[in-house]
Structure formats: C-alpha cells, structure tokens
Amino acid sequence: MKLIIAIIQPHRLDAVREHLTGIDIAGLTVTEVRGYGRQKGHTEIYRGAEYQIAFLPKIKLEIAVPDGRVDDVVQAITAGSRTGKIGDGKIFVLELEQALRVRTGETGDNAL
Amino acid sequence: MINSGDTAWIISATALVLLMTLPALALFYGGLVQAKNILSVLVQCFAVACVASVLWFACGYSLAFSGSGPWIGDLNAALLANVTRSAPHPGTAIPESVYVMFEMAFAIITPALIIGAYVERIKFEAVLLISALWLLIVYVPVAHWVWGGGWLAARGVMDFAGGIVVHVTAGVSALVIAAMLGARHEFPHGIRPPHAPWMVMVGASLLWVGWFGFNAGSALSAGGDAGMALLATHLAAATATLVWMAIEWIKFGKPSLVGAVTGTIAGLACITPASGYVGPLAAVLLGVTASAVCFTAVLLVKRVVQVDDALDVLGVHGVGGAIGSLLLPFLTLLGGGVTLARPVMAQFAVQAIAVMVVGAWSAVATFAITKLAAWTVGLRVDLETETQGLDFAAHGETGYHVNR
Ligand SMILES: Nc1ncnc2c1ncn2[C@@H]1O[C@H](COP(=O)(O)OP(=O)(O)O)[C@@H](O)[C@H]1O
Ligand SMILES: [Mg+2]
C-alpha cells in the first residue's frame, strides 16, 4: 500500500475530487494547510506598505491506495490540480505499512 | 426657546457620532491589526469611550464650554450641576442636556482615534491613563479655544466640525505617542498584514454614515447649514475614495479595498472643518486633495520619518484635518460657500496659526503625558506578550476560536 499526500491550490479541490471519484477512489482526507514553495510566498500591499506573506493557504490531500492504483491516482490529482501557473503544488508518495478498518476489523488492501 | 426640529436632529446626530466610535472606529481599527490583537483594540475603544464620558461629566464639559476665558473655561458646570431640563444651550434652540451629550460624543471619538497609533504593543493601563489625561489636557483646552469662546474663537477661526479640534489634535498626538512607545518589534519589514480587510470596510462604512451626524450635526440646528454639510460630507468621501483607488491602481497595478476605504476616511477628515462652510464643488475638490496628500503623508511617515504610527492616524486623520482647515477659506469662494468675515488671506492666516499652535500644544502636552505614563504605569508590554498577542496575554480572551 502507498500513502499519497498532495498539496494543491484550494480552488482546485473540487476538480481534484471529481477526477478521483471518476476513478472510484473511495476515501480521501482533506486538511487546510499553509505552505510555501520556491517562490517563498508572495507580497501584498496595504496602504502603500509591502507585506511579506510567507505562508499561502493550500489544501493537503491524503489518500491511501493499493500499490496498483498509485499511477491512476497521481494522474487524477495532476489532471484536477494543474493550471500551469506557479503554486500548483506537489505530490508525495509514501510507503504505507498497515491499514485497519475499525468497524469490520479488515486490514491491508481490504481496509481501503 | 427650544425648537423640536433642531432638538430631534441633534439627538439623532449624537447617536450617529457615538456610532462612529462604537463600533465603527473599533471595527475599522480592529480589522487592520493581527487576529491575535483584535479584542484588545475593541476593548480599548470601548474603555476610552467610557473614560471620556465620565470625565466629560466630571469637569471636561465645564472646562471646555463654561466660562469664556481665552485659555480654559471654568468649573461652574462641573458634575453637570447646572444642566436644567428646560434651558436651551446659549446661541442654539436645543436643550443644554442635548448639547452636552452631542459634544460628549466628540470627546469620546477624539482620544479613541489615537488608539490607531499604539495598537499591538501598549499596556492597557497606559491606554486608560494617557486617554484620561489627554482628554483634559489636550482636547478640553483646544475645544475651548476653538468652540468654547477661547482665544482662537476670538480671532475668528473656522472649524465647522473638528478638523483642528479633533483631527489635528489626535493626529499629532498619535505620532508623538507612537514615537515614544517605539515601533512594534517586527517594524518595518516583518509587520503582518491586516487580518480582516472586510471588517475595515464595515467600520469605514459605519464611520461614513456616522460622519453625517458629526458634520451635519455640527450645525446645531436642522436647517440649511446642516443640509449643505451633509451634501459636502458625502461628496468629499466618495471623491476621495475614487482618487485613492486610482492612485493605487496606477502605482501598484491593483485597486485595493483597504486603500479605497482609507481614501474614504481621508476625505471625511478633510471635509470636516469645511463641511458647513463650503458648497458641493469645493467638497469634490477637497476629496481629490485629501487622497492625494494623505496617500503621500502615510508613505512619508512610514518610510522617511519611520515612526510606527501603526494605523496611520497622523497620515490620514491629522493631515486630512489640517489641509481641510487650511484650504477652507479659499474654497468658500466657490459656489454654495459662506461669506467670510475677513479677507481670504487674513482668514487663511488665522487658520494657519490655529493649526500650528494646536499642533504644537498637542505635541508638547502629549509628550509630557506619555512621559508621566512611562514613569508610573509603564508604556509597553514585554516582548513575549507582544508576540503572543494582547488578546489573551492582557485580556484573557481569544478573538477567534476556530479549528485550523
Ligand atoms: N519540499 C516540500 N516539502 C513539503 N511541502 C512542500 C515542499 N515543496 C512544496 N511544498 C508544499 O506545496 C505547496 C505548493 O508548492 P509549489 O509552490 O507548487 O512548489 P514550488 O514553488 O517548489 O514549485 C507549498 O505551499 C507547500 O505547502
Ligand atoms: Mg511555488
């Protein structure tokens, strides 16, 4: 199993969800997070003074999937989140040791 | 003789002027600070309003408006002892009680304006002490000089609703306190942006409406002067808003909400002294001038003077009030203006003396008051409190209990 963590633009969340439900991904956790990439945030101007906004609002997705589905999911997230502009985000794929479905006690791929 | 139309309008106007502090100014300032300091700003506005009210009752009103010495009034109306039910205020057709209360709303907002200079780092004790002393030592004498029959009134100074009495005093004093208190520790480059620009807009909108009471109420009657003041006030605000937006659009590429509503307030401060004396065209011209000059003043204070007048009290209020006071003699010459009692340059000289002397007195007296506060209760919170935010550290509360 793999855990896919994706950091995306908040306004792309709906598009990503549509792509993921389109390929029958049954579970998804979403968190509002803040972060910066290579541009290190941005600046805003209030009353002529520049303010450095170090952390921009982002959405973090966490999806646990069987090994065989990783490529599909990564593709779906990319399709939903890509605008071609800076700040489109990143996808990280991690090894996942165990999963357990609390109600039934199922484990591994069956729990997902 | 009490006139019921006048009285009804001034009672309404009084409510509008109180609305300018609670909650308009509180929201205007509250939205500009960081989320961790929102409540401290709101409670400062609230507390200053109450301190000023009680002091106005105790002796502030009397020293400003009873007696006609050149420098200060007398104590005949201390504790509002002589306010009877039926007597009109001299020279008006409204009851003394209504006049006391209308003027009280001005005494409330003026020290509250200064809050913008010292937010996010001052001790609450210092806010209370400085505001109390400032009301009695700066506001009360100046109100007497200009409106209470003092030496500037004798010279014929024109300040319809408080460009000098309210905005010059508050603006200059704000800069002095900000300089003595020192900048917020992140100043100038690490300062956080306004936490809620929408709240700034709500505050500014309520200020705009409240200002109808401030300026049109200053006619102290419900007639032509009030009507023209209302019209001039609105036009100056609208014009200044557009001009500030245009300046930002040209200079930074985008017109911002915070900028637009800052222009509104600059226009309102600027028309204040002139509102009952000039006509519509003059108001539009003042609106243009207000944003052009105040925009520059705000940048100058931050970049050149480098004093952390956090919410630009001098740049927006002080400078706006001063230019309106200085330009008004010339603007009365346009359509709808009043006839001056003296040649225009002579009136300008009176206005200039008033702005300079009031500015100087505000600076000197505020310096002394702030020194006294520094020696007694202390001025600044410690760095840890400042970093943590005043809301929890000084007031034990949190503005936003959100799960994030
Ligand atoms: N190396 C990283 N580690 C953790 N999170 C990252 C990393 N790089 C980017 N992020 C997250 O992804 C978000 C979007 O990054 P993005 O601006 O698209 O990256 P980049 O500027 O490096 O191309 C960032 O706001 C941050 O939350
Ligand atoms: Mg980036």
Side-chain angles (χ1 to χ4, degrees), chain A residues 35-109:
Chain A
Y36 67 84
R38 292 182 199 176
Q39 291 76 26
K40 302 195 171 64
H42 68 203
T43 55
E44 295 181 7
I45 301 177
Y46 295 93
R47 291 184 175 174
E50 279 197 2
Y51 294 84
Q52 199 57 45
I53 312 295
F55 298 101
L56 299 179
K58 299 284 170 184
I59 293 284
K60 180 167 88 168
L61 310 175
E62 285 163 295
I63 312 163
V65 292
D67 289 333
R69 304 232 50 196
V70 171
D71 291 348
D72 289 355
V73 170
V74 168
Q75 237 167 45
I77 296 174
T78 310
S81 60
R82 196 179 141 81
T83 67
K85 302 206 193 88
I86 55 170
D88 269 356
K90 292 199 178 162
I91 301 173
F92 308 108
V93 181
L94 287 69
E95 225 27 90
L96 181 60
E97 269 187 19
Q98 184 56 294
L100 185 140
R101 197 171 179 211
V102 173
R103 179 169 62 84
T104 58
E106 292 158 287
T107 58
D109 283 357

